Amino acid sequence: MAAGQAERPAGDLEDLEVRLLLEAIYHRYGYDFRQYALSSIKRRIRHHMREEGLGNVSRLQERLLHQPANFDRFVSVLTVPVTSMFRDPAFFAAFREKAAPLLRTYPFLRFWHAGCSTGEEVYSMAILLEEEGLYERCRIYATDMNEAMLREAQKGHFPVSSMQVNTANYLNAAGRGPFSRYYTVKGDHAIFEPRLRRNVVFALHNLATDGAFNEFNAVFCRNVLIYFNKGLQDRVHGLLYESLGQFGYLGLGSKESLRLTPFEARYEELDGHGKLYRKVA
Ligand SMILES: C[S@@+](CC[C@H](N)C(=O)[O-])C[C@H]1O[C@@H](n2cnc3c(N)ncnc32)[C@H](O)[C@@H]1O
């Protein structure tokens, strides 16, 4: 230690190791987690290290740099896949009531689900759009940075154990008729009707590093921004804004908002509870 330099407390040392790890991952694999909220990243890394019996973050770094086979699993450690169908039903109810009637005036519609996880949100929107008579004129882009999740999303098979919650959410989102007409049960899975993904394009897209790729009538980025720090949140809000056409709709997660972002004044709030916004000119 250099003369006069005090020893760092253990917490600081862990922060330093985590920052070095994220920097190393970025340079080795091109995945940029450097602007994710540090507290939740640390929590997940600690949990992973306990499971893998690794004593400190530097050991983990060594393993990830020299054994790429471990990296894909580590991406799943850092990205939180938690989702459900019609999650936050107030959002879907608001979209059905406040956006669908106006969207009927468009001949063709493009939607983007950014951070779609295993696809439950996308199939939910397809069902809502079908019930509102809009699905046939829609193209839905469903993206995530995690390839394993996209593979699951493409299948449209969800655990039967989740169907009680999914059905309750659907009914609370003003769903029409029995939810069971959209799937058949095989073993432990509810297999959703293939027509619900006929108009869906699943693709890799990283909100931290990739740019806009189309212009949309509605963009949904729900329960993703909470994992980012303010700098990355602002970047993503810029990307979402740029991706929306005039009067396009924006859907956020229940704990997310536009408050204190540079884009607050560029949207009108259509439903505060449902986190539904509309881009103003
Ligand atoms: C908690 S899930 C939310 C899923 C769904 N939108 C919902 O609200 O139920 C968060 C998703 O964001 C994805 N994600 C995290 N960082 C991302 C990034 N930089 N670019 C794209 N997707 C990301 C994760 O892979 C995960 O699938």
Side-chain angles (χ1 to χ4, degrees), residues 32-33 36 75 78-84 87-88 113-118 120-121 143-146 149 205-209 220-224 226-228 232 253:
D32 195 352
F33 294 105
Y36 280 47
V75 169
L78 294 191
T79 51
V80 180
V82 179
T83 186
S84 59
R87 180 181 191 179
D88 309 327
H113 290 267
C116 69
S117 187
T118 40
E120 281 85 336
E121 181 181 280
T143 65
D144 202 281
M145 64 165 284
N146 187 326
M149 287 184 204
H205 181 277
N206 192 324
L207 290 162
T209 46
F220 314 106
C221 188
R222 306 177 58 236
N223 308 298
V224 182
I226 34 167
Y227 299 104
F228 299 166
L232 184 52

Side-chain angles (χ1 to χ4, degrees), residues 128-147:
L128 185 156
L129 293 170
E130 188 177 87
E131 291 182 354
E132 295 302 319
L134 289 168
Y135 183 64
E136 285 313 318
R137 67 182 91 167
C138 284
R139 173 61 47 97
I140 302 175
Y141 293 81
T143 65
D144 202 281
M145 64 165 284
N146 187 326
E147 208 169 352

Side-chain angles (χ1 to χ4, degrees), residues 247-275:
F247 304 122
Y249 295 91
L250 172 70
L252 299 177
S254 63
K255 296 192 193 80
E256 295 157 340
S257 92
L258 286 165
R259 276 199 62 234
L260 306 178
T261 74
F263 296 90
E264 197 172 351
R266 303 204 194 174
Y267 290 90
E268 67 171 307
E269 187 181 90
L270 294 182
D271 190 294
H273 184 46
K275 296 298 164 89

Side-chain angles (χ1 to χ4, degrees), residues 17 49 53-65:
E17 282 186 300
M49 290 193 326
L54 294 165
N56 60 48
V57 182
S58 299
R59 293 259 152 72
L60 174 63
Q61 174 169 322
E62 188 189 343
R63 179 196 275 198
L64 289 171
L65 289 185

